[in-house]
């Protein structure tokens, strides 16, 4: 199963939940490199998800972005 297919399944499942809005972050010249794939707001909480196929790992730039988010207080 491709990462795009996994992402689609996750988005459908999340958007079926009450009080939840989830969307795919598409990369562009205006986006931040390494930004997680999916953004979610559920019951007033914001969550960012990085989607990977089994066996895949985050890239160096994704790990750097995750560190920046943790340094800003993300869990």
């Amino acid at each position: 199963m491709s990462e795009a297919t996994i992402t689609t399944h996750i988005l459908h499942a999340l958007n079926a939940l009450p009080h939840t809005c989830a969307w795919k972050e598409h990369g562009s010249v205006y986006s931040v490199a390494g930004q997680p794939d999916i953004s979610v707001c559920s019951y007033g909480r914001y969550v960012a998800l990085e989607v990977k196929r089994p066996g895949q790992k985050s890239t160096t730039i994704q790990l750097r972005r995750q560190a920046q988010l943790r340094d800003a207080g993300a869990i």
Side-chain angles (χ1 to χ4, degrees):
M1 185 179 308
S2 71
E3 184 175 302
T5 301
I6 295 168
T7 300
T8 299
H9 286 298
I10 292 169
L11 287 170
H12 284 240
L14 288 170
N15 284 311
L17 298 172
H19 308 288
T20 302
C21 178
W23 61 96
K24 167 78 172 109
E25 294 287 348
H26 294 282
S28 76
V29 61
Y30 301 107
S31 63
V32 176
Q35 193 66 12
D37 297 312
I38 297 175
S39 290
V40 185
C41 185
S42 184
Y43 290 92
R45 302 289 181 158
Y46 175 81
V47 179
L49 304 173
E50 179 62 39
V51 179
K52 293 289 178 210
R53 292 177 56 213
Q56 287 188 326
K57 296 182 180 188
S58 295
T59 64
T60 301
I61 197 151
Q62 289 169 333
L63 292 171
R64 189 175 310 126
R65 184 64 176 159
Q66 291 167 16
Q68 289 172 329
L69 293 168
R70 275 193 306 279
D71 289 346
I75 312 172

